[in-house]
């Protein structure tokens, strides 16, 4: 209920949940490419399990020292199954994009047929920055 989503499932780990969410989005779109920040947990700490277990192709976007930008997402030429956004981005000091920038990025990805997934491991830290309830933040995304 905190996130305002119609359904939930318990998973033993967030990494497992993220891979499954991305796989579901890929299967629904018949696309295999998923995009995320270069410091994404799945890329840095999961030994490319998304690729090995689910046959997904990871596409890193942007500068590893800065949050994602719309220009980073616009530079992608291949059709994406999903765009994963981490809020806040742990590896770059817990940084967050401005609310309007985040909403524009999500809208652009969706407009190109990609699902949007929120890595919300630290989502509770985002609410004070955005001054919005968790459900409003989560509502931007297809899955959390």
């Amino acid at each position: 209920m905190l996130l305002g989503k119609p359904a939930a499932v318990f998973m033993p780990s967030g990494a497992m949940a993220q891979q499954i969410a991305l796989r579901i989005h890929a299967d629904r779109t018949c696309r295999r490419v998923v995009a995320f920040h270069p410091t994404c947990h799945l890329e840095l700490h999961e030994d490319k399990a998304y690729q090995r277990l689910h046959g997904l192709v990871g596409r890193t976007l942007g500068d590893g020292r800065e949050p994602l930008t719309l220009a980073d997402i616009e530079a992608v030429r291949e059709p994406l199954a999903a765009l994963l956004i981490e809020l806040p981005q742990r590896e770059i000091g817990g940084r967050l994009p401005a609310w309007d920038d985040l909403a524009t990025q999500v809208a652009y990805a969706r407009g190109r047929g990609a699902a949007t997934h929120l890595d919300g491991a630290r989502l509770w830290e985002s609410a004070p920055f955005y001054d919005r309830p968790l459900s409003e933040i989560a509502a931007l995304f297809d899955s959390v």
Side-chain angles (χ1 to χ4, degrees):
M1 287 302 214
L2 286 174
L3 301 183
K5 295 293 183 187
V9 63
F10 174 79
M11 300 301 295
S13 75
M16 181 185 294
Q18 312 241 68
Q19 292 173 37
I20 291 169
L22 294 175
R23 170 69 181 270
I24 289 169
H25 294 313
D27 288 352
R28 285 181 179 162
T29 61
C30 296
R31 298 174 179 179
R32 305 318 297 165
V33 180
V34 295
F36 39 73
H37 192 268
T39 66
C40 175
H41 189 266
L42 295 179
E43 183 70 7
L44 293 183
H45 304 293
E46 297 299 321
D47 197 26
K48 298 203 184 293
Y50 61 86
Q51 178 180 322
R52 296 170 190 247
L53 298 174
H54 301 286
L56 302 175
V57 176
R59 170 81 149 76
T60 58
L61 307 178
D63 180 339
R65 299 163 299 190
E66 299 292 330
L68 286 177
T69 66
L70 179 59
D72 298 330
I73 301 165
E74 290 173 334
V76 177
R77 295 293 164 230
E78 63 265 57
L80 294 177
L83 171 65
L84 181 152
I85 296 178
E86 176 186 4
L87 296 179
Q89 292 184 266
R90 176 180 68 175
E91 298 288 337
I92 60 171
R95 294 176 65 193
L96 291 155
W99 178 258
D100 290 342
D101 292 343
L102 178 63
T104 300
Q105 292 169 17
V106 168
Y108 179 83
R110 280 203 180 127
R112 308 274 300 173
T116 56
H117 175 73
L118 170 59
D119 174 345
R122 287 159 298 287
L123 177 59
W124 274 251
E125 298 170 18
S126 302
F129 176 80
Y130 291 127
D131 192 26
R132 298 171 188 273
L134 296 175
S135 59
E136 188 175 344
I137 298 167
L140 287 177
F141 298 88
D142 298 300
S143 56
V144 180

